[in-house]
Amino acid sequence: MYSIRHAAGVVLQASAFVVVAISDTAYLALAGVVLASFGSGLGEVSYLSLSAYFPDSVITAYSSGTGGAGVFGALAYASLTDAAMANLTPKQALLTMLVVPFIFAYAFWWVLHLPPSVHRVRVVEPRSWLIARGEASTVAPLLHDSDDEIEEEEGRAGRDAATVPFNFQALPSKEKWRAIKPLFSYMLPLALVYFAEYFINQGLLELLVFDCAHGFRLAPAAQYRWFQVLYQIGVFVSRTVGGILPWMPAVSILAGLQLLNSGFLTAAAVKTSLLPHFAAGASIVLYEGLLGGSAYVHTFRTMHKEISPSRREFALGVVSIADTFGILLAGMAAINAHNAICSLPL
């Protein structure tokens, strides 16, 4: 069913660009943002699950690609709308970006080579629209204790595990909890990293405004856009390099560092003298992106190595919602924090 999910993602992407571009009210613009967010969430859970059918190096490639997409998106919009560059209106810039969904569709259906074990949907064959229900596997553990066990099951996975997916819905309630419980050790630190990260992005960055003498003569809106570009560069670099480094700090350590980061920037938003220049703020935002990207790639590469192949697709899909949950909580907290800081006397 990955083809159907991908088609839905392409439609949601294109719809989001159009809706936001033509919006003349905040409600319509927010509707476009919801479409984009829905497509992003659907894509992440789908493609991370799909990575279970490939070697673990795919996690690094996927993480790097998503990080690169963030850089490209932020840099493209900043460049297209900057008065010193393309100087397009936001509407023109968004409609120009409609080329992205077409590239996205082409990459999946014509460039990506799916392994034979992945179910394919054919429009002209209605029987391919549904997947035959496989029997649930209640024997294989979620986590292995040794590399030998992983290698043994990967040998079996090459023959049959990928063709008979782990059927979570068919499990009894106790077995469902046993299947999910070990995943919390991956989900909680990742959710904390993204909570702190998006608390900064959604509630604090727009409050860090520097005058011309301390902001490279950038207007406040331009400062915010370039903060986003630098954040995405940090994410891209860490997601690309983090996958090939021999050692990385535990995600729980990265979560603690990101929480400290959000605490300092909260203080800086209240007392602006803590950040004397745009360059100082930009350095911290870049560091924020490095922490977030490192946590992401480290989490999913570790899972790919530790989770048994027969349940890897299921586990990657479940844990992929952890960052989304952290972002959701951050959005709700950021609204109140932003309003509270703005209400403080100057």
Side-chain angles (χ1 to χ4, degrees), residues 187-200:
M187 297 175 73
L188 182 58
L190 187 63
L192 285 174
V193 169
Y194 273 79
F195 171 81
E197 192 169 324
Y198 277 81
F199 181 80
I200 295 170

Side-chain angles (χ1 to χ4, degrees), residues 175-253:
E175 288 293 322
K176 288 182 178 179
W177 173 246
R178 286 182 58 192
I180 293 176
K181 186 178 178 181
L183 299 178
F184 283 106
S185 62
Y186 303 103
M187 297 175 73
L188 182 58
L190 187 63
L192 285 174
V193 169
Y194 273 79
F195 171 81
E197 192 169 324
Y198 277 81
F199 181 80
I200 295 170
N201 292 352
Q202 298 177 3
L204 302 178
L205 289 187
E206 64 270 31
L207 298 176
L208 303 178
V209 179
F210 302 88
D211 58 29
C212 288
H214 300 88
F216 297 123
R217 299 190 177 279
L218 293 171
Q223 291 177 28
Y224 178 77
R225 287 197 296 268
W226 289 107
F227 273 146
Q228 294 297 328
V229 171
L230 289 165
Y231 160 74
Q232 296 294 349
I233 289 174
V235 171
F236 171 64
V237 170
S238 57
R239 288 190 181 189
T240 303
V241 177
I244 59 177
L245 290 177
W247 178 85
M248 287 184 66
V251 179
S252 57
I253 294 176

Side-chain angles (χ1 to χ4, degrees), residues 303-326:
M303 287 184 64
H304 211 285
K305 293 177 179 178
E306 294 180 350
I307 303 293
S308 60
S310 62
R311 299 198 179 191
R312 195 175 287 159
E313 180 181 13
F314 162 78
L316 288 167
V318 170
V319 175
S320 69
I321 68 173
D323 58 343
T324 305
F325 184 68

Side-chain angles (χ1 to χ4, degrees), residues 75-94 96 222 225-226:
L75 187 59
Y77 186 78
S79 301
L80 289 171
T81 56
D82 196 295
M85 297 184 182
N87 198 25
L88 298 181
T89 65
K91 179 178 180 179
Q92 292 170 333
L94 288 168
T96 300
R225 287 197 296 268
W226 289 107

Side-chain angles (χ1 to χ4, degrees), residues 66-117:
T66 54
V71 174
F72 173 77
L75 187 59
Y77 186 78
S79 301
L80 289 171
T81 56
D82 196 295
M85 297 184 182
N87 198 25
L88 298 181
T89 65
K91 179 178 180 179
Q92 292 170 333
L94 288 168
L95 293 178
T96 300
M97 296 297 287
L98 276 172
V99 67
V100 173
F102 291 99
I103 297 173
F104 193 41
Y106 177 80
F108 184 86
W109 281 303
W110 283 278
V111 177
L112 180 65
H113 296 284
L114 294 174
S117 53

Side-chain angles (χ1 to χ4, degrees), residues 244-326:
I244 59 177
L245 290 177
W247 178 85
M248 287 184 66
V251 179
S252 57
I253 294 176
L254 297 174
L257 293 173
Q258 196 72 292
L259 288 168
L260 289 174
N261 209 18
S262 67
F264 174 77
L265 288 177
T266 300
V270 174
K271 189 175 182 180
T272 56
S273 60
L274 290 176
L275 286 176
H277 197 279
F278 175 80
S283 299
I284 295 175
V285 171
L286 179 66
Y287 169 64
E288 172 205 349
L290 290 170
L291 290 176
S294 298
Y296 187 92
V297 68
H298 188 38
T299 296
F300 292 110
R301 282 210 70 186
T302 302
M303 287 184 64
H304 211 285
K305 293 177 179 178
E306 294 180 350
I307 303 293
S308 60
S310 62
R311 299 198 179 191
R312 195 175 287 159
E313 180 181 13
F314 162 78
L316 288 167
V318 170
V319 175
S320 69
I321 68 173
D323 58 343
T324 305
F325 184 68

